[in-house]
Amino acid sequence: MFNSNEDTNYTYDPEEKNLDELYKLLENMFEINYSKIKDYLKNKIETSNFKNFADTEINYSRRIGWCIIARIIKPKLIIETGVDKGMGSVILSEALIKNEQEGFKGKYLGTDINPEAGYLFDDLYRKNGKIIYGDSIESLKKN
Ligand SMILES: C[S@@+](CC[C@H](N)C(=O)[O-])C[C@H]1O[C@@H](n2cnc3c(N)ncnc32)[C@H](O)[C@@H]1O
């Protein structure tokens, strides 16, 4: 709250116990070995990729779960309704980049009603995705 630029959607670091519960949940949901789930986080994204963000350390917070799920199911399309600064957009797009390196191509589509939203989602990610502006339901009807 006091040390981060992400002061509305938060970038807290889950404690070991929280992570343990998350991994166990995902293990049950996807019938994947616990250690394999942890492996998906070994190559977490580089803080340097958050070029427009002044925090020195980026904590994924709940987005850790999103990232792991994207790595497990290797989706062809991810839709995130409401991107705000674009932290989820970057994390999900990084998961898609890693999936593509393993031969599974996917696209990212983000929406937000705020025309200022998504500024973290820069050129590095636009190759395989985009953010569309306006009401999510209206935008998704058109795309
Ligand atoms: C909780 S924030 C999203 C946080 C983001 N997913 C992240 O990982 O940091 C919710 C966002 O939804 C957007 N929003 C609210 N109502 C909307 C609507 N009807 N259509 C599209 N976006 C909307 C807001 O502008 C805001 O940026």
Side-chain angles (χ1 to χ4, degrees):
M1 181 83 194
F2 297 110
N3 302 320
S4 172
N5 285 306
E6 180 47 281
D7 54 3
T8 52
N9 289 302
Y10 308 129
T11 51
Y12 53 89
D13 214 5
E15 292 177 1
E16 278 308 310
K17 194 171 182 309
N18 302 125
L19 288 175
D20 188 46
E21 293 293 337
L22 173 68
Y23 298 154
K24 281 185 195 149
L25 172 73
L26 296 174
E27 187 179 36
N28 276 302
M29 281 172 70
F30 296 103
E31 294 181 7
I32 290 188
N33 185 277
Y34 187 101
S35 61
K36 172 89 178 153
I37 288 172
K38 281 181 88 171
D39 276 354
Y40 279 130
L41 279 186
K42 270 193 188 146
N43 303 313
K44 268 176 58 169
I45 59 178
E46 299 296 324
T47 307
S48 57
N49 287 354
F50 283 87
K51 292 191 195 74
N52 300 317
F53 204 70
D55 282 10
T56 47
E57 192 183 340
I58 306 294
N59 297 320
Y60 285 26
S61 41
R62 63 192 180 284
R63 301 174 192 88
I64 288 178
W66 309 355
C67 173
I68 299 175
I69 291 172
R71 294 287 285 127
I72 293 172
I73 64 179
K74 311 209 183 310
K76 290 193 175 131
L77 175 66
I78 294 179
I79 297 176
E80 181 187 14
T81 52
V83 302
D84 197 38
K85 296 171 188 68
M87 188 151 277
S89 322
V90 171
I91 287 166
L92 289 167
S93 296
E94 280 286 340
L96 289 176
I97 289 170
K98 296 210 169 73
N99 287 349
E100 189 170 355
Q101 287 163 0
E102 295 169 6
F104 300 91
K105 206 168 162 47
K107 283 196 170 239
Y108 169 87
L109 181 62
T111 66
D112 209 289
I113 205 157
N114 174 7
E116 307 285 312
Y119 63 82
L120 293 173
F121 189 77
D122 59 19
D123 291 347
L124 183 65
Y125 307 105
R126 288 181 200 278
K127 190 167 68 81
N128 286 325
K130 63 178 176 180
I131 292 174
I132 41 181
Y133 294 94
D135 173 67
S136 294
I137 294 186
E138 294 309 315
S139 299
L140 292 172
K141 274 185 194 160
K142 290 183 214 141
N143 279 269

